[in-house]
């Protein structure tokens, strides 16, 4: 099968600071890739390059057939291509980023209505299905500020899913949560993986990784230092630095 | 001198001791009544001309609708300009930011009265230059009310650019990224995510600007006399040799108008901030 995400020799500079130093990674449809590594190793940057919240400064990214080389200038045509990619790639952030002026269901249907011009009724019906799926059907008309962190993150996941994406990007989705709320979010993500969603997840939840990931990628100073199946990597990392990091988080 | 000070101190002690059982609001009421009586005495002292007021009061008060119309028009224009000014100053485009910066800097750096006179008197001069295309004569020659709206709108728009910018910046960057990640364009994000939230921050100070504009609109009276409230007061006051009566009346009206609008502005502000408190306090 053709990979649905292709990252080739990806580089990212912030001014003089080079954060990604040639990252290559193919993701097959239905795979769940867990990315882990030290703070500052470039995990978020890698994820944010996949949907072009950051513009790569070198290399190439392909998402579901839309191929984009790094470019110096972001012109109109490129912006349109970026939007095509973003519509295929849902993203979930560490701190939820819900729209506080909209109710939960309005948060979900905003993008389908505005971006895809779906009718309100149609979007709402799908939105309510998704809320049911993440266990928040009764919160549809609540405002985000009235939700717990775990509920907020589940709404954020449903909001991304409401665009019917082909891949989902998760950047430390449980890091901002109180420990007792982590499980409910991981549960939703686990279900999503079971349904065959392609996922790239930055997380240090090794239990989740072991159970759900098809592959784990250890990022170190902007490079993929090691990758492999969770069982192999967690118990038998080849590189000393990977081992040390795993010891620290396990 | 020290003796006077001591006497005053004793008087104050006695007043305070005597009124200690009185609620503060009642005391305040007494002070206000005292001020009112003093003002009335001053009016008698000046031999306030009631006959003049009867004759010319209605003419002066007749300027109120135009003053209000100018201010409503002016604040509407100012809000549009402030919105574009703020978006320009936050824009990634050098053209947009350059124009916005120039607008704000130039307008804030020049006196309002100069701007008013410039628009009312200088632009027509431009229109009649031999080299000017004739259509300028229809564009650059304004009725005074229109010139007033233009001048106040442009001036206040520059000051309010900062208010609008603060409102827009109050919307967290994470939400904007989330909107982008959902495929929304910059324009859609601004319209659907940023502005609806910025409005909360923008509305209360905009109310204050409107109240300030009510007073600044009197400057129009310098360009054209006998049109809006102050211009009419000034005109009749000097013409009939009753400047005290005429200007006192105008001052009273401005005070009344600003008090009324301040009252509504406070209520609006409270309602908005209460909404905020309720929403923010309800979490977790
Ligand atoms: N917009 C930016 N401008 C400048 N430097 C940045 C920017 N974004 C990230 N960086 C830098 O890039 C490096 C990698 O950041 P990144 O957020 O990708 O790390 P991370 O692996 O996600 O770390 P964490 O675990 O702390 O989230 C850091 O040194 C960071 O300071
Ligand atoms: Mg990160």
């Amino acid at each position: 099968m053709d990979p649905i995400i292709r990252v080739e020799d990806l580089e990212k500079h912030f001014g003089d600071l080079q954060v990604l130093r040639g990252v290559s990674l193919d993701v097959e449809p239905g795979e769940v890739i867990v990315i882990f590594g030290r703070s500052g190793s470039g995990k978020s940057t890698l994820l944010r390059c996949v949907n072009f919240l950051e513009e790569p400064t070198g290399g190439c990214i392909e998402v579901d057939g839309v191929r984009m080389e790094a470019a110096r200038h972001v012109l109109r045509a490129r912006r349109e291509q970026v939007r095509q990619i973003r519509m295929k790639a849902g993203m979930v952030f560490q701190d939820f980023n819900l729209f506080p002026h909209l109710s939960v269901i309005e948060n979900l249907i905003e993008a389908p209505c505005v971006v895809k011009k779906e009718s309100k009724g149609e979007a709402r019906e799908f939105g309510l299905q998704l809320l049911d799926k993440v266990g928040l059907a009764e919160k549809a008309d609540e405002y985000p500020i009235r939700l717990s962190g775990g509920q907020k993150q589940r709404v954020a996941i449903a909001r991304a899913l409401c665009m019917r994406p082909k891949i989902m990007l998760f950047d430390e989705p449980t890091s901002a949560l109180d420990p007792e709320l982590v499980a409910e979010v991981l549960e939703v993500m686990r279900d999503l993986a079971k349904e065959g969603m392609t996922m790239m997840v930055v997380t240090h939840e090794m239990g989740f990784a072991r159970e759900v990931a098809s592959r784990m990628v250890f990022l170190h100073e902007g490079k993929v230092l090691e990758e492999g199946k969770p069982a192999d990597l967690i118990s038998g990392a080849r590189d000393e630095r990977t081992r040390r990091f795993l010891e620290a988080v396990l | 001198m020290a003796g006077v000070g001591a006497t005053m101190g004793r008087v104050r002690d006695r007043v305070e001791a005597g009124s200690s059982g009185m609620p503060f609001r009642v005391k305040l009421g007494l002070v206000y009544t005292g001020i009112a009586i003093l003002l009335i005495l001053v009016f008698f002292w000046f031999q306030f001309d009631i006959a003049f007021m009867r004759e010319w009061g209605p003419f002066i008060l007749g300027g109120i609708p135009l003053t209000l119309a100018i201010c409503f028009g002016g604040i509407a224009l100012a809000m549009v300009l402030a919105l574009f000014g703020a978006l320009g100053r936050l824009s990634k485009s050098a053209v947009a930011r350059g124009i916005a910066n120039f607008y704000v800097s130039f307008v804030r750096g020049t006196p309002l009265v100069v701007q008013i006179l410039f628009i009312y008197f200088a632009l027509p001069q431009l229109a009649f230059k031999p080299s000017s295309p004739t259509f300028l004569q229809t564009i650059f020659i304004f009725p005074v009310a229109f010139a007033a709206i233009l001048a106040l709108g442009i001036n206040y728009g520059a000051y309010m650019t900062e208010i609008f910018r603060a409102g827009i910046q109050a919307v967290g960057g994470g939400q904007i990224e989330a909107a982008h990640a959902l495929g929304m364009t910059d324009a859609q994000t601004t319209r659907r995510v940023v502005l609806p939230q910025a409005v909360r921050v923008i509305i209360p100070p905009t109310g204050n600007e409107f109240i300030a504009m009510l007073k600044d609109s009197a400057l129009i009276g310098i360009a054209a006399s006998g049109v809006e409230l102050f211009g009419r007061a000034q005109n009749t006051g000097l013409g009939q040799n009753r400047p005290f009566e005429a200007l006192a009346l105008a001052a009273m009206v401005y005070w009344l108008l600003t008090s009324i609008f301040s009252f509504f502005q406070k209520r609006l502000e409270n309602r908005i901030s209460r909404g905020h408190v309720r929403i923010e306090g309800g979490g977790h």
Side-chain angles (χ1 to χ4, degrees):
Chain A
M1 225 188 305
D2 276 344
I4 189 166
I5 304 170
R6 264 198 145 118
V7 177
E8 293 170 23
D9 301 322
L10 181 68
E11 293 182 8
K12 175 66 188 178
H13 297 76
F14 290 107
D16 289 338
L17 177 70
Q18 183 168 13
V19 175
L20 297 180
R21 304 162 178 271
V23 173
S24 296
L25 183 67
D26 283 354
V27 183
E28 307 279 330
E31 268 195 304
V32 174
I33 308 292
V34 163
I35 299 159
F36 65 113
R38 280 220 306 268
S39 176
S41 58
K43 309 177 297 289
S44 298
T45 307
L46 169 59
L47 220 55
R48 291 161 59 82
C49 280
V50 172
N51 70 351
F52 290 84
L53 284 182
E54 303 291 357
E55 273 288 338
T57 45
C60 178
I61 293 201
E62 186 178 320
V63 176
D64 193 33
V66 184
R67 190 180 165 82
M68 306 261 292
E69 310 275 343
R72 288 182 68 85
H73 303 287
V74 182
L75 302 175
R76 210 188 181 80
R78 184 179 178 85
R79 268 207 291 274
E80 188 45 43
Q81 274 181 311
V82 164
R83 241 166 46 83
Q84 292 307 319
I85 287 182
R86 286 176 180 168
M87 283 161 71
K88 297 170 192 279
M91 186 169 218
V92 174
F93 301 85
Q94 181 173 336
D95 38 12
F96 330 126
N97 294 334
L98 296 177
F99 306 131
H101 61 302
L102 300 178
S103 70
V104 165
I105 186 70
E106 285 166 346
N107 262 277
L108 263 63
I109 69 172
E110 180 69 13
C113 290
V114 171
V115 177
K116 289 166 123 191
K117 314 286 182 224
E118 281 180 29
S119 80
K120 252 202 168 112
E122 177 190 0
R124 198 182 154 84
E125 194 177 316
F126 186 49
L128 289 172
Q129 272 176 36
L130 289 172
L131 282 180
D132 194 40
K133 194 162 115 179
V134 301
L136 291 171
E138 80 283 9
K139 298 286 186 192
D141 295 312
E142 200 60 89
Y143 278 82
I145 203 74
R146 306 248 231 183
L147 304 177
S148 73
Q151 293 171 331
K152 280 184 200 167
Q153 196 59 298
R154 286 185 280 153
V155 170
I157 294 172
R159 176 176 70 176
L161 291 174
C162 211
M163 285 293 280
R164 303 174 200 263
K166 295 202 165 171
I167 65 175
M168 285 285 284
L169 310 170
F170 294 84
D171 190 1
E172 306 205 40
T174 58
S175 296
L177 300 178
D178 295 336
E180 71 272 20
L181 301 177
V182 168
E184 62 190 57
V185 171
L186 292 180
E187 182 64 40
V188 167
M189 291 170 62
R190 200 175 285 125
D191 289 347
L192 206 54
K194 271 195 210 126
E195 289 169 22
M197 175 63 78
T198 310
M199 295 162 55
M200 284 177 80
V201 186
V202 174
T203 186
H204 293 148
E205 293 290 338
M206 288 303 151
F208 172 84
R210 200 193 307 258
E211 187 189 339
V212 180
S214 21
R215 249 187 310 152
M216 292 179 69
V217 174
F218 182 65
L219 212 58
H220 183 76
E221 291 175 359
K223 283 197 184 121
V224 176
L225 197 63
E226 195 165 353
E227 63 174 286
K229 292 211 172 340
D232 303 340
L233 202 69
I234 291 176
S235 46
R238 285 185 309 274
D239 195 284
E240 170 65 23
R241 286 162 292 187
T242 319
R243 267 202 304 272
R244 242 183 309 162
F245 181 84
L246 282 169
E247 269 165 31
V249 293
L250 278 171
Chain B
M1 281 322 267
V4 175
T7 316
M8 288 295 284
R10 242 173 290 134
V11 170
R12 221 182 97 193
D13 283 348
R14 210 171 312 148
V15 169
E16 260 171 33
S19 64
S20 62
M22 210 183 271
F24 185 75
R25 294 172 62 132
V26 176
K27 286 193 215 172
L28 210 53
L30 282 177
V31 172
Y32 288 151
T33 315
I35 291 174
I37 291 171
L38 268 178
L39 282 178
I40 290 170
L41 284 178
V42 168
F43 275 42
F44 273 109
W45 177 37
F46 268 96
Q47 297 180 313
F48 198 76
D49 189 340
I50 305 282
F52 165 83
M53 287 303 261
R54 251 196 228 115
E55 190 181 349
W56 288 99
F59 172 72
I60 295 174
L61 296 180
I64 295 176
L66 191 65
T67 289
L68 288 177
I70 286 171
C71 289
F72 280 117
I75 202 77
L77 176 61
M79 287 172 77
V80 173
L81 290 175
L83 175 60
F84 283 111
L87 292 176
R89 289 198 115 178
L90 295 169
S91 164
K92 279 172 269 175
S93 142
V95 177
R97 202 183 296 185
I99 292 173
N101 283 346
F102 166 75
Y103 164 59
V104 171
S105 168
F106 181 74
V107 171
R108 290 178 65 149
T110 51
L112 174 55
V113 68
V114 173
Q115 293 162 11
I116 291 173
L117 296 179
F118 191 88
I119 287 176
Y120 194 52
F121 292 121
L123 288 186
Q125 188 188 348
L126 211 60
F128 284 110
K129 287 282 179 226
S131 53
S132 299
T134 48
F135 73 86
L136 280 189
Q137 293 178 14
T138 53
I139 297 182
F140 277 177
I141 299 172
F142 317 107
V144 64
F146 195 73
I149 290 174
L150 216 54
L152 288 172
I154 289 173
N155 182 273
Y156 274 68
Y159 285 93
M160 285 160 57
T161 290
E162 288 309 299
I163 295 175
F164 277 52
R165 180 163 81 157
I168 288 170
Q169 281 183 319
V171 180
Q175 288 179 50
I176 295 169
E177 287 201 328
H180 285 158
L182 286 162
M184 290 166 79
T185 62
D186 282 339
Q188 287 166 340
T189 305
T190 302
R191 208 156 27 87
R192 305 285 312 183
V193 176
V194 177
L195 290 184
Q197 295 181 71
V199 164
R200 292 188 138 217
V201 184
I202 287 168
I203 282 185
T206 297
N208 286 330
E209 293 295 312
F210 177 79
I211 290 161
M213 187 186 280
L214 262 176
K215 291 173 287 173
D216 274 349
S217 73
L219 288 170
I220 308 301
I222 291 175
S225 64
V227 183
E228 43 61 76
L229 180 58
F230 170 71
R232 287 183 178 213
Q234 166 86 335
N235 210 13
T236 25
L238 296 183
Q240 308 296 316
N241 202 20
R242 289 285 182 281
F244 179 84
E245 282 81 356
L247 293 179
L249 177 62
M252 281 299 180
V253 174
Y254 282 115
W255 188 27
L256 187 71
L257 288 178
T258 50
S259 302
I260 292 171
F261 283 108
S262 294
F263 173 77
F264 285 116
Q265 196 268 350
K266 285 264 152 48
R267 272 182 45 156
L268 190 68
E269 191 169 339
N270 284 341
R271 258 195 23 214
I272 286 176
S273 70
R274 220 183 16 248
H276 219 69
V277 168
R278 179 179 59 78
I279 292 169
E280 280 197 340
H284 302 267

